[in-house]
Amino acid sequence: MFVVLVYDVNASKDARISKICKPYLLHIQNSVFMGDITLGNLRILLDKLKGEIDRESEVLDIFILRSRKTVRRITIGESRVRHENVI
Amino acid sequence: MFVVLVYDVNASKDARISKICKPYLLHIQNSVFMGDITLGNLRILLDKLKGEIDRESEVLDIFILRSRKTVRRITIGESRVRHENVI
């Protein structure tokens, strides 16, 4: 499956959330990741992230699609995150 | 069609980009919008946004799906943006 993961967390926690996501997904924008992932890895990633997010004041959204074939990505500009990939 | 729009722009421009997106999409996180949109409105929105994004240092990604039925959204936590909708 293909996912787009976006989060809005306390600035002090940004790096930690990013570090958790990097082994699983591609970092495309400041607090945005995307990529193909297995259901098993998605569960592991979600479990790790659930333990980090303050449910009162922070939020993380994951959009799950059956495959990257069902999505088209348009990018305007240049991400400050160096390694990015274009669908 | 259904879109997820995410951007990483200079803080001084955040409010302006958000103001442009609000009539078309639902504001779910700090710099994240989502929702159903017609192709015509998507073109209008894209044209407005293209004029705002500094292509050297800012980025905006739009993920376009045929319909919201092809995506599942998981949310952890609470968005600081008041009006949100759950798919």
Side-chain angles (χ1 to χ4, degrees):
Chain A
M1 62 185 64
F2 181 80
V3 302
V4 176
L5 181 151
V6 292
Y7 54 87
D8 186 2
V9 297
N10 193 302
S12 63
K13 214 184 269 182
D14 230 15
R16 198 154 79 224
I17 300 291
S18 175
K19 206 170 159 201
I20 291 172
C21 295
K22 269 181 187 163
Y24 299 94
L25 298 170
L26 195 69
H27 195 192
I28 61 165
Q29 270 190 44
N30 190 16
S31 47
V32 182
F33 285 77
M34 73 172 193
D36 295 304
I37 189 168
T38 63
L39 182 57
N41 278 341
L42 180 59
R43 284 195 178 121
I44 295 167
L45 177 57
L46 272 173
D47 280 347
K48 289 180 181 175
L49 292 170
K50 276 177 189 163
E52 295 290 342
I53 301 291
D54 173 344
R55 290 171 185 245
E56 305 293 320
S57 65
E58 296 173 334
V59 65
L60 181 141
D61 281 297
I62 297 186
F63 295 90
I64 305 169
L65 300 96
R66 212 162 297 131
S67 108
R68 78 170 53 218
K69 289 191 197 99
T70 60
V71 61
R72 182 174 164 225
R73 174 188 178 202
I74 294 177
T75 299
I76 303 171
E78 185 75 37
S79 175
R80 284 175 258 193
V81 173
R82 275 307 108 228
H83 45 80
E84 60 163 274
N85 185 356
V86 180
I87 299 174
Chain B
M1 65 184 65
F2 181 81
V3 303
V4 176
L5 181 150
V6 292
Y7 53 87
D8 186 3
V9 299
N10 192 304
S12 61
K13 216 184 269 183
D14 229 16
R16 198 154 80 224
I17 300 290
S18 174
K19 204 172 164 202
I20 290 172
C21 295
K22 271 183 185 163
Y24 299 94
L25 297 169
L26 194 69
H27 195 193
I28 60 166
Q29 272 191 45
N30 188 17
S31 48
V32 182
F33 284 77
M34 74 171 193
D36 296 303
I37 191 168
T38 64
L39 181 58
N41 278 341
L42 180 58
R43 284 196 179 122
I44 294 167
L45 177 58
L46 272 173
D47 280 348
K48 288 179 180 176
L49 293 170
K50 276 178 189 162
E52 296 289 340
I53 301 291
D54 172 344
R55 291 173 185 243
E56 304 294 321
S57 64
E58 297 174 333
V59 65
L60 181 141
D61 281 298
I62 296 185
F63 295 90
I64 304 169
L65 299 94
R66 212 162 292 129
S67 106
R68 76 168 58 217
K69 290 190 195 101
T70 59
V71 61
R72 183 175 161 222
R73 174 186 178 206
I74 294 176
T75 300
I76 303 171
E78 185 76 36
S79 174
R80 286 174 255 190
V81 173
R82 274 309 105 226
H83 47 81
E84 63 162 87
N85 184 359
V86 180
I87 301 173

